[in-house]
Amino acid sequence: MFISSTTPKPQFIVTPLTESHIQAAVICSKRYGFLIRVRSGGHDYEGLSYISHKAFIIIDLVKFQEINVNIADKTAWVQAGATVGQVYYRIAEQSNNTHAFPSGVCPTMGVGGHIGGGGLGFLMRKYGLAADNVVDAYFIDVKGRILNRKSMGEDLFWAIRGGGGASFGVIVAWKINLVPVPAVVTVCNIPKTLEQGATSLFHIWQNVAHKFDRNIFMRTIVQAVGAQKRRTIEVAFQSVFLGTIKELLPLMKISFPELGLGVKDCNEMSWVNSTLSVAGLTGNPVEILLNRSQRTKNYFKGKSDFVQNVISETDLESIWKVMLAQDISPMMIDEPLGGRMDEILESSIPFPHRVGNLYNIQYFMPWQNGSATTRYLEATKRLYNYMTPYVSKSPRASYVNYKDLDLGINHDVNTTYLEARVWGEKYFKGNFLRLATVKSKVDPENFFWNEQSIPPFHGRA
Ligand SMILES: Cc1cc2nc3c(=O)[nH]c(=O)nc-3n(C[C@H](O)[C@H](O)[C@H](O)COP(=O)(O)OP(=O)(O)OC[C@H]3O[C@@H](n4cnc5c(N)ncnc54)[C@H](O)[C@@H]3O)c2cc1C
C-alpha cells in the first residue's frame, strides 16, 4: 500500500482479531489524539484508508473476512474486510449457483468501503446497488460501542449505506440480501472502432441501454487505441444477460439490432464465472476470487459524471478528437442505469443518482511511472473539463466510490457543512444535509474526520 517512499506512514497499523480490538483502537486513538484510517480492501481512489497528513493509525480489517451464508432466509453476514470476490464465491458455492449479490466488478474490493459508498455493478439494473440490499449491520461508534440496526436507529443505518465510508464509525459487518440468478448467464463483448461505426453505435447505446429488459446490463468502455496513423477510438460493448444465448438474441434484435450481436460474440457460463469474465480474469479457476492480493500495482486517477441527455454524434466526434489529440487519454467506462435504479427513491439511501440519469461515466487513467504523474493528471482533467456541457449540472454529480479530491476538500476538522457543500452535494445532492445532521448526532466532535468526511451540521441550512 505504500509504493512511494514519500507517502505518510502511520504511527501503528492495528489488525484487529476481535471486535474488542477495534473498540480499544477507537478509544485509545481518541485519548492520544491520533486520527483513524479504516482499511477494508484498500481500493480508495485517493488513498484515504491508509494516508493522512496528520498523526494517524490504521485499523486494517484484513482479519475480518468471515462470510456466513444463510440459504434458508436468503441472507448472509459478511465481515467488512471480506472482498467482493470472496462474497461472490461463497454465495455461489453455498447456493449451488442459484444466488448472487449485486455489487461491483473488481473482486479485490473490500465490502467495508465498497458497500459503504453504494456499490454499483452488473446486477444494478435488476436489483439496485449493493447498499440497497443491506438489511442490518454491526458498527462501532466514536464511544467504542457496538451497535446493530436496532440499537443505532434508522437515521444512522440510512447514513452508513452509501454515505461514503469512514465518516461515522467503523463498519464491522453487513447483513446482505442474496438475489436469485439463473444457472446460465450470457457474457458478450463486441469491440468496434470508429472505422467500424463505433460513433453511431455508441449514440444508439445511450438511447437504449437504460431501457433494455432489466436482465440485460451492457456497459461500454471507450478508449484511444493503436499508434500514430492507426490510432483510433475503440468502443467495447460488454454485457451480461441473466439467461441463455437463445433467450438473449431475440431481445437484442428488438432493442439494439444495429449492434449485430450474434452467437459468436457470446459465451454461456454460471453467474460466478461471469464475474471473472468482466474483471478480465477469464481462464482462471473460480478460486481466484478468494485471492485478495492486488494483481496490478499502477498509479491511477479516477473521476466520474452522470449523463442525463443523449450526446449527439457530432458532439461525440468532438470528444473523440480530444481523446485522440495526445498520446495519452483516460478511458471512459459507461454504466447504464434505468430498470430497478429508476424505481428506488433518491432519498432511500444517501446515493441519489436515480431516475433521470441515463448512465454513469468513470474516467479512469492508469500509469506506471511516478515521475510522469503530472502529465497523466492533466490529461484526465482535460477530458473531464471538455465533458462539462454534456453531463449533469447544478450540481455536476459524481459518485462517492470514485472519490475525487479535485471536487473540494475539508481543510481541517472545523470545515463547516456550508463549506463542504461544494463537494458534498456533488456526491449526495439533497441527502448531504441529512448526512451532516446524522453526523452531528453520532460524532459531534468530528473525530472520524478526513479530507472528504461528512462534517457535522449544527444549525439551520
Ligand atoms: C480497480 C477498481 C475497480 C472498482 N470497481 C468498482 C465498481 O465496479 N463499482 C463500484 O461501485 N466501485 C468500484 N470501485 C470503487 C470502490 O467501490 C471504492 O474504492 C471502495 O471504497 C473500495 O472499498 P475498499 O474497502 O476496498 O476500500 P478502502 O480503501 O479500504 O476504503 C474506502 C473508504 O471507506 C472507508 N472504510 C473502509 N472500510 C471501512 C469500514 N469497515 N468502516 C468504516 N469505513 C471504512 C475507508 O476509510 C475509506 O475512506 C473500484 C475501485 C477500484 C480500485
Side-chain angles (χ1 to χ4, degrees), residues 118-166:
L120 52 82
F122 274 70
L123 288 175
M124 73 175 158
R125 300 195 60 256
K126 174 102 175 177
Y127 296 116
L129 304 175
D132 292 321
N133 289 280
V134 168
V135 290
D136 205 340
Y138 279 114
F139 173 86
I140 292 178
D141 75 357
V142 68
K143 295 184 179 147
R145 296 176 302 189
I146 301 189
L147 306 171
N148 64 8
R149 177 174 186 167
K150 194 158 177 233
S151 52
M152 78 177 80
E154 285 303 305
D155 272 345
L156 179 54
F157 184 62
W158 173 85
I160 60 175
R161 288 173 296 151

Side-chain angles (χ1 to χ4, degrees), residues 36-45 47-50 59 61 80-82 103-106 108-122 129 139 164-174 219 294 300 335 362 364 399-403 450:
I36 286 184
R37 292 289 178 262
V38 185
R39 180 180 189 274
S40 287
H43 281 50
D44 192 276
Y45 274 36
L48 295 191
S49 55
Y50 54 90
I59 299 180
L61 294 171
S103 56
V105 174
C106 174
T108 49
M109 293 183 290
V111 297
H114 181 62
I115 300 181
L120 52 82
F122 274 70
L129 304 175
F139 173 86
S167 288
F168 302 98
V170 183
I171 305 291
V172 178
W174 303 107
R219 69 175 185 176
Q294 283 276 71
F300 72 87
E335 308 206 290
Q362 180 187 179
F364 190 79
Y399 171 40
V400 70
N401 262 348
Y402 301 150
K403 197 174 285 163
N450 65 49

Side-chain angles (χ1 to χ4, degrees), residues 171-310:
I171 305 291
V172 178
W174 303 107
K175 186 178 185 186
I176 57 174
N177 268 336
L178 313 186
V179 299
V181 287
V184 175
V185 308
T186 301
V187 177
C188 311
N189 190 30
I190 306 195
K192 296 278 185 189
T193 61
L194 295 185
E195 297 69 24
Q196 295 166 322
T199 306
S200 147
L201 289 171
F202 185 88
H203 181 248
I204 299 167
W205 172 87
Q206 297 178 93
N207 269 306
V208 296
H210 65 107
K211 291 187 244 163
F212 279 154
D213 178 303
R214 58 184 70 185
N215 290 309
I216 306 173
F217 182 89
M218 178 182 282
R219 69 175 185 176
T220 57
I221 300 178
V222 181
Q223 56 189 324
V225 295
Q228 294 163 355
K229 283 199 177 132
R230 308 187 77 168
R231 196 155 164 79
T232 185
I233 294 291
E234 179 191 89
V235 180
F237 296 84
Q238 192 183 54
S239 63
V240 175
F241 169 65
L242 299 177
T244 61
I245 299 177
K246 210 170 147 200
E247 292 163 320
L248 172 64
L249 293 184
L251 288 175
M252 290 303 286
K253 238 187 183 147
I254 297 167
S255 314
F256 196 5
E258 299 84 353
L259 187 61
L261 188 82
V263 176
K264 65 177 186 333
D265 307 305
C266 304
N267 283 300
E268 290 182 343
M269 60 190 75
S270 64
W271 182 82
V272 73
N273 270 301
S274 78
T275 69
L276 296 189
S277 186
V278 297
L281 297 171
T282 305
N284 286 284
V286 73
E287 283 68 30
I288 197 169
L289 293 175
L290 300 175
N291 179 352
R292 55 186 299 130
S293 56
Q294 283 276 71
R295 275 165 283 275
T296 50
K297 293 208 169 20
N298 283 336
Y299 296 90
F300 72 87
K301 173 69 187 168
K303 295 177 91 63
S304 61
D305 264 318
F306 287 84
V307 176
Q308 299 180 325
N309 295 301
V310 167

